[in-house]
Amino acid sequence: MLSPDEIAILTLSFKVAFCCLLINIVPAVLVGYWLARKEFWGKSLVETLIFLPLVLPPVVPGYILLVLFGNQGIIGKHLSALGLEFAFNWKGAVLASAVMGFPLMVQSVRLAMQMVDKRLEMTARTLGASDVAVFFGITLPLAWGGILVGAILSFCRSLGEFGATITFVGNVAGETRTLPLAIYSLLQQADSDHAIMRLLVLSVAVAFCALWFSQWYTRHQSAKLQG
């Protein structure tokens, strides 16, 4: 059985991950479509900047977020004056997770968009469909499987985010202490093996189920298209 503190940690973790997903999904779909369908000067540089968080040590994006969105940061000090603060509260944890999960979703969306046959889009345009109608009527439905998989990966990445979160918003109980931060805190305490094991099992179970579903759904969609 989970203790009330563990339930609160799990609830906060899912809250942060869902908010992160809601923030990322529309920009990720638009950016993924843009990268899949448009060629322009400097595209490699843009792609490098978008995917950079995937290869940087997580502490680096966390520190950059602190400099930008901290209470005395370049942007954060102006937001604080408006009553919107990110540092050391759950909204900052959402921002950190969104930054780290965004590249994963963009990559999945871009690959899904690239798999859509351009001839279908061209045919629709020759029949008088606008670019918006083609996007919502053809491209988006055909790429939906890849978008869903990207959303699942981004969600899982948010649940497991540690380095950027602890650097940007700290490890505040009841406010920013998500699942990985709670495990880290318990590792510093004596006689906490059972609590650590419960949280580890929860983490593995959630990640396993999400990834299993994404793999099953991908195979299901491939078999459906081939059939």
Side-chain angles (χ1 to χ4, degrees):
M1 296 297 293
L2 297 176
S3 68
D5 288 341
E6 291 167 345
I7 293 174
I9 290 167
L10 194 60
T11 302
L12 177 62
S13 299
F14 277 98
K15 175 183 175 181
V16 169
F18 274 117
C19 289
C20 169
L21 183 59
L22 292 176
I23 290 172
N24 275 346
I25 189 164
V26 172
V29 168
L30 295 178
V31 172
Y33 175 78
W34 181 50
L35 294 178
R37 287 290 183 264
K38 305 297 181 182
E39 295 295 333
F40 53 90
W41 184 87
K43 183 177 180 180
S44 296
L45 176 61
V46 172
E47 290 174 332
T48 300
L49 292 174
I50 291 173
F51 299 121
L52 194 59
L54 291 177
V55 296
L56 282 174
V59 175
V60 175
Y63 181 74
I64 293 173
L65 287 173
L66 185 61
V67 171
L68 292 176
F69 293 98
N71 293 338
Q72 300 301 319
I74 298 172
I75 301 173
K77 62 183 178 182
H78 301 293
L79 296 177
S80 295
L82 300 175
L84 181 61
E85 296 184 354
F86 288 98
F88 306 110
N89 67 63
W90 71 273
K91 293 186 289 294
V94 172
L95 180 59
S97 296
V99 168
M100 301 304 294
F102 184 72
L104 278 175
M105 191 166 185
V106 170
Q107 177 70 348
S108 183
V109 171
R110 181 176 69 168
L111 293 175
M113 296 290 186
Q114 288 174 339
M115 295 296 292
V116 175
D117 193 341
K118 293 182 180 180
R119 292 174 296 181
L120 297 174
E121 298 173 336
M122 293 174 61
T123 301
R125 289 190 181 96
T126 58
L127 293 175
S130 65
D131 289 341
V132 174
V134 170
F135 177 78
F136 285 102
I138 296 177
T139 311
L140 197 60
L142 291 177
W144 174 247
I147 295 171
L148 179 60
V149 171
I152 292 171
L153 292 176
S154 179
F155 181 83
C156 292
R157 182 66 181 83
S158 301
L159 282 177
E161 170 50 39
F162 176 80
T165 301
I166 198 170
T167 304
F168 180 37
V169 297
N171 188 7
V172 183
E175 189 67 35
T176 66
R177 186 170 294 172
T178 54
L179 203 53
L181 272 68
I183 294 173
Y184 173 78
S185 299
L186 288 171
L187 287 171
Q188 316 304 314
Q189 303 173 17
D191 300 324
S192 58
D193 292 345
H194 293 294
I196 291 173
M197 187 57 62
R198 285 196 298 270
L199 294 181
L200 284 176
V201 170
L202 277 174
S203 300
V204 172
V206 170
F208 179 86
C209 291
L211 290 175
W212 175 85
F213 176 79
S214 68
Q215 297 299 322
W216 172 85
Y217 188 80
T218 300
R219 289 197 304 274
H220 175 72
Q221 290 297 104
S222 298
K224 186 177 178 181
L225 289 174
Q226 292 173 3

